């Protein structure tokens, strides 16, 4: 949520700042801005809307300088106007910020007593004002930045730039990620390594509370207590930092298409000849009485699906909740309960807070993450990477199927350890899993037909999704995906719940997408489908050949998936749900990769 970058360069930095912001735009795209120091003078340019507006502005009104900071915004405090866009400036200080300063009103009141008044609606401006105030009292820039950071409550990743200081940048991290990049005679700051990838692959991830002082010759880092600390410089794989659409029209299309291959990577990381190998010390599921799963959005729906797997095949009771509710409900955590957190970014503020809540209460903390250096990965007792590769599209697709795959492997491991799965039965499922990437490829072959169905769905104002068993969470995922990128109102219900109220919504204008492979629950779902059709409802049935044969004739549209064992169906059926949402959004002409009001990494609560 918001992307920040900083460069102490050897050439003009404006183009490199804009390129870095382009790579960070997935974090927010309400407005963007840069500030530089040129011949000792601090100056800035800002523009509302997508980054392209800032680059256009820079053509007409360039900004010179070899030191600079930049920001792409997802508005929290104050509307997305030019005045509220970052960098924020107060006298000789410019600041970019990702996060929320919770005590900004108190700080404003304090600053007013020193004659400093705000000009924007943002919390961030207060940081620049506070730094200016500290400079006014005679502090040197680094001292002023540190004194400012000490006063901030909330979450932040920050970069400071000072008038008259061409070889100085100060960064800080608390609650929001920040990386230091090491170049040749250049130094960088960025919200993630992807932003810095065109400039360097040598990265230091700052830890919670760290402050970094950068000059062109290097960085000195202090921890929250002010002690000088050494943090590892890692060389990151450039592959991991690739951000191109690979010939696809949208990142989302590319990421949907990548699923067979990334799912193979996930499986390869966890499967050996002897079965399922978890990283590090692994997990002793036999020692657990309960698992509590917490996440947000799509990651939560992966957890919700996993509840069915853990309970059915491993007989392990699972509580699953959205992190924003869990953390404030403060639930008791019974003994012998492990807590598992799922997050693509590994930085979602509510999920991280839920993890911290569980720290001294749960038997162990497990993180199912896509970004191995993320906060959730680092603060978990054991991080379980999903190996989906960088996901840029704001709507999560490949991360979801890779999360599901890791969760299914965990459920199988649990079933084995708890005596509910023989080695033979396990090997059979693992063989089916190894064949799954091929099945996903076949499903992707139905793309054109799904696109044709989507053209018709694009006319609807409301759409319902139904599913039973493990297809129920998937119905939620289908509805979430559709509403977030096509802006069509969509709701999901458990098929059996329809007649307890929602059936009142059914008429010929409300298409109903039914996710129903021909499994043990199929006939029951078909009965619910009949209830919909009896009321004039138009059913899009997503099923397999046997399901289409038995119930397809009555449906308005049928999307036929390849056959797959019941256990694996949620992973496969995610694909038509994603493709339906994607093509509906394209048909409606929305901004698929950057839907309105959203951002990929939600680092505020
Ligand atoms: C929806 C989507 C979001 C995220 C949610 C959690 O397509 O992407 O609902 O799943 O914001 O994000 P992570 O997984 O990064 O914690």
């Amino acid at each position: 949520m918001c992307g920040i970058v900083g460069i102490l360069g050897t050439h003009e930095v404006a183009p490199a700042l804009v390129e870095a912001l382009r790579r960070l735009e997935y974090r927010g795209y309400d407005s963007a801005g840069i500030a530089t120091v040129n011949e000792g003078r601090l100056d800035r340019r800002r523009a509302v809307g997508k980054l392209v507006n800032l680059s256009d502005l820079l053509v007409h009104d360039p900004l010179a300088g070899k030191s600079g900071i930049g920001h792409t915004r997802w508005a929290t405090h104050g509307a997305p106007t030019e005045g509220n866009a970052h960098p924020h400036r107060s006298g000789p200080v410019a600041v970019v910020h990702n996060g929320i300063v919770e005590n900004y009103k108190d700080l404003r009141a304090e600053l007013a007593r020193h004659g400093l008044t705000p000009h924007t609606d943002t919390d961030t401006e207060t940081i620049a004002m506070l730094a200016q105030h500290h400079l006014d009292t005679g502090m040197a820039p680094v001292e002023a930045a540190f004194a400012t950071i000490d006063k901030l409550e909330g979450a932040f990743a920050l970069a400071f730039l000072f008038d008259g200081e061409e070889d100085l940048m100060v960064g800080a991290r608390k609650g929001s990620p920040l990386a230091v990049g090491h170049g040749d005679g250049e130094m960088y700051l960025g919200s993630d390594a992807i932003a810095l990838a065109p400039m360097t692959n040598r990265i230091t991830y700052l830890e919670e509370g760290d402050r970094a002082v950068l000059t062109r010759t290097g960085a000195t880092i202090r921890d929250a207590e002010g002690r000088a600390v050494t943090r590892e410089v890692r060389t990151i794989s450039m592959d991991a930092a690739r951000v191109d659409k690979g010939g696809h029209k949208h990142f989302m299309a590319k990421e949907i298409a990548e699923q067979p291959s990334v799912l193979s990577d996930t499986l390869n990381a966890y499967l050996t000849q002897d079965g399922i190998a978890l990283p590090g010390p692994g997990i002793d599921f036999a020692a657990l009485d309960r698992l509590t799963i917490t996440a947000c959005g799509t990651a939560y729906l992966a957890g919700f699906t996993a509840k069915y797997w853990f309970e059915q095949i491993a007989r392990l009771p699972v509580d699953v909740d959205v992190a924003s509710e869990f953390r404030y409900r403060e639930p008791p955590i019974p003994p012998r309960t492990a807590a598992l957190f799922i997050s693509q970014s590994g930085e979602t503020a509510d999920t991280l807070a839920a993890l911290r809540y569980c720290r001294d209460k749960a038997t162990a903390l497990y993180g199912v993450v896509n970004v191995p250096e993320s906060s959730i990965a680092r603060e978990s007792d054991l991080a379980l990477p999903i190996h989906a590769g960088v996901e840029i599209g704001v709507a999560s697709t490949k991360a979801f199927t890779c999360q599901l795959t890791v969760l299914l492997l965990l459920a199988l491991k649990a079933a084995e350890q708890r005596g509910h799965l023989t080695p033979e039965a396990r090997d059979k499922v693992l063989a089916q899993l190894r064949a799954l990437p091929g099945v996903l490829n076949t499903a992707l072959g139905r793309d054109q037909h799904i696109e044709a169905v989507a053209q018709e769905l694009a006319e609807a104002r409301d759409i319902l999704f139904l599913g039973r068993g493990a297809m129920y969470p998937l119905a939620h995922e289908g509805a979430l995906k559709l509403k977030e990128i096509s802006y069509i109102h969509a709701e999901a219900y458990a098929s059996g719940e329809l007649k307890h109220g929602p059936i009142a919504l059914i008429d010929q204008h409300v298409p109903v997408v039914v996710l129903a492979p021909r499994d043990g629950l199929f006939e029951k779902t078909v009965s619910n489908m009949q209830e919909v059709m009896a009321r004039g409802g138009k059913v899009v049935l997503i099923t397999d050949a046997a399901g289409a044969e038995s119930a397809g004739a009555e449906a308005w549209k049928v999307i036929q998936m390849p056959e797959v064992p019941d256990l694996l169906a949620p992973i496969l059926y995610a694909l038509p749900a994603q493709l339906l949402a994607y093509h509906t959004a394209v048909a409606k002409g929305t901004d698929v990769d950057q839907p309105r009001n959203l951002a990929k990494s939600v680092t505020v609560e």
Side-chain angles (χ1 to χ4, degrees):
M1 200 135 276
C2 297
I4 70 174
V5 62
I7 304 176
L8 293 177
T10 48
H11 301 283
E12 290 299 310
V13 287
L17 287 171
V18 171
E19 168 56 20
L21 292 179
R22 188 183 69 77
R23 301 165 80 85
L24 287 171
E25 214 182 0
Y26 72 92
R27 301 177 71 91
Y29 32 83
D30 292 338
S31 60
I34 61 171
T36 60
V37 185
N38 185 38
E39 295 178 353
R41 221 171 58 84
L42 190 62
D43 202 355
R44 63 181 168 162
R45 301 283 182 273
R46 298 170 299 163
V48 175
K50 296 281 171 68
L51 185 61
V52 66
N53 298 344
L54 176 67
S55 35
D56 285 354
L57 173 72
L58 287 166
V59 171
H60 303 293
D61 194 6
L63 197 56
K66 294 180 179 165
S67 328
I69 53 178
H71 187 270
T72 178
R73 180 170 188 239
W74 186 86
T76 58
H77 292 62
T81 59
E82 187 183 328
N84 288 334
H86 300 218
H88 283 285
R89 180 171 184 182
S90 185
V93 189
V95 175
V96 286
H97 169 217
N98 166 27
I100 289 181
V101 180
E102 284 167 359
N103 59 335
Y104 80 103
K105 287 192 179 146
D106 297 341
L107 294 173
R108 271 187 180 180
E110 198 181 315
L111 287 161
R113 289 195 283 279
H114 299 290
L116 289 169
T117 50
H119 298 95
T120 78
D121 309 318
T122 67
D123 52 337
T124 304
E125 188 191 14
T126 321
I127 306 174
M129 290 163 63
L130 197 56
Q132 178 186 7
H133 166 64
H134 286 130
L135 287 171
D136 288 347
T137 64
M139 287 185 189
V142 173
E143 204 188 346
F146 281 17
T148 299
I149 295 161
D150 285 339
K151 288 245 176 191
L152 303 179
E153 287 168 20
F156 49 80
L158 293 170
F160 292 84
L161 206 60
F162 302 90
D163 206 55
E165 299 285 347
E166 300 216 18
D167 192 23
L168 178 67
M169 194 158 59
V170 178
R173 170 203 168 133
K174 186 184 156 215
S176 301
L178 191 63
V180 174
H182 305 259
D184 294 327
E186 300 198 334
M187 288 295 290
Y188 320 100
L189 283 173
S191 292
D192 63 28
I194 301 170
L196 306 181
M199 299 176 284
T200 186
N201 63 347
R202 287 184 296 131
I203 299 290
T204 299
Y205 290 99
L206 294 184
E207 309 229 331
E208 272 305 276
D210 279 358
R211 293 110 198 254
V213 178
L214 274 67
T215 65
R216 284 182 176 75
T217 52
T220 53
I221 301 175
R222 294 193 176 270
D223 67 11
E225 273 71 51
R227 291 179 295 241
V229 285
T230 310
R231 304 279 184 230
E232 188 190 344
V233 181
R234 305 175 193 208
T235 304
I236 58 149
S237 124
M238 276 315 196
D239 251 15
R242 275 190 60 194
V243 277
D244 60 63
K245 294 184 192 149
H248 292 268
K249 205 166 152 202
H250 298 102
F251 282 110
M252 186 179 176
K254 175 190 171 215
E255 288 158 5
I256 291 174
E258 273 175 356
Q259 290 177 106
S261 110
V262 292
L263 208 106
S264 296
D265 295 343
T266 313
L267 291 171
N268 287 337
Y270 284 87
L271 297 186
T272 66
Q273 277 185 334
D274 305 325
I276 302 162
L278 302 185
I283 303 177
D284 182 4
F285 285 104
L288 297 180
D289 289 342
R290 210 167 185 84
L291 187 63
T292 179
I293 300 182
T294 314
C296 299
T298 288
Y300 159 74
L301 294 169
F304 191 6
T305 312
K307 175 179 170 72
Y308 287 80
W309 286 329
F310 277 108
E311 293 189 342
Q312 280 168 1
I313 61 178
R315 310 308 301 155
L316 179 61
V318 172
D319 298 314
V320 58
D321 204 351
V322 291
S324 52
E325 285 302 309
F326 177 92
R327 63 181 288 196
Y328 292 114
R329 205 176 70 244
E330 302 186 350
I333 309 285
R336 291 167 59 89
T337 299
L340 188 142
F341 305 89
I342 309 167
S343 176
Q344 187 284 127
S345 62
E347 301 294 347
T348 299
D350 283 323
T351 311
L352 188 56
L355 179 147
R356 289 175 181 159
Y357 169 78
C358 289
R359 174 155 296 130
D360 302 320
K361 303 177 185 70
T363 307
L365 309 180
Y366 302 120
V368 173
V369 288
N370 196 28
V371 182
E373 305 82 13
S374 61
S375 304
I376 291 175
R378 285 187 287 108
E379 294 194 27
S380 297
D381 297 326
L382 180 67
L384 299 144
I386 62 167
H387 301 282
V390 179
E391 192 180 63
I392 298 288
V394 163
S396 189
T397 52
K398 62 175 180 169
F400 179 64
T401 43
C402 290
Q403 283 161 352
L404 287 179
T405 305
V406 170
L407 292 165
L408 177 56
L409 291 170
L410 292 179
L412 290 167
K413 188 85 186 167
E416 217 184 322
Q417 290 177 352
R418 295 166 66 84
H420 298 290
L421 190 71
T422 62
E424 296 71 38
R426 177 204 63 198
D427 289 345
K428 191 171 158 206
V429 184
L430 294 189
Q432 292 163 343
L433 259 172
R434 285 194 179 93
L436 189 59
V439 181
L440 297 189
N441 248 327
T442 310
L444 290 174
R446 312 278 147 91
D447 185 49
Q448 274 189 355
H449 175 56
I450 297 176
E451 185 178 358
V453 176
Q455 296 287 346
E456 306 218 29
L457 286 187
E459 307 293 319
R461 211 187 62 184
D462 308 284
I463 298 182
L464 296 186
F465 282 73
L466 300 181
R468 228 173 229 277
M471 285 294 132
Y472 170 47
L474 207 70
H476 274 284
E477 173 59 5
L480 174 62
K481 216 90 300 174
L482 187 78
K483 64 188 145 196
E484 72 178 314
I485 59 169
S486 77
Y487 316 148
I488 293 177
H489 171 239
E491 293 294 337
Y493 291 99
S495 306
E497 191 61 16
L498 197 68
K499 59 174 94 53
H500 298 287
I503 200 161
L505 294 170
I506 301 294
D507 65 18
Q508 69 276 26
H509 303 297
V510 182
V512 181
V513 179
V514 181
L515 293 146
R518 191 164 177 129
D519 56 14
L521 301 172
F522 180 74
E523 293 305 339
K524 295 197 183 303
T525 306
V526 168
S527 304
N528 304 130
M529 208 175 99
Q530 303 284 4
E531 292 155 11
V532 168
M533 292 185 301
R535 284 154 184 88
K538 294 194 294 193
V539 168
V540 177
L541 175 63
I542 308 183
T543 186
D544 46 27
E549 163 92 33
S550 114
E554 296 144 283
W556 176 50
K557 309 271 175 203
V558 177
I559 296 172
Q560 198 174 306
M561 287 291 103
E563 305 293 330
V564 77
D566 294 355
L567 210 51
L568 312 191
I571 306 176
L572 173 66
Y573 279 64
L575 269 60
Q578 296 164 351
L579 286 169
L580 261 189
Y582 173 73
H583 289 300
T584 308
V586 172
K588 292 204 71 184
T590 58
D591 190 340
V592 172
D593 284 331
Q594 296 181 339
R596 68 186 180 202
N597 306 339
L598 292 173
K600 183 125 189 99
S601 183
V602 185
T603 52
V604 295
E605 59 176 282

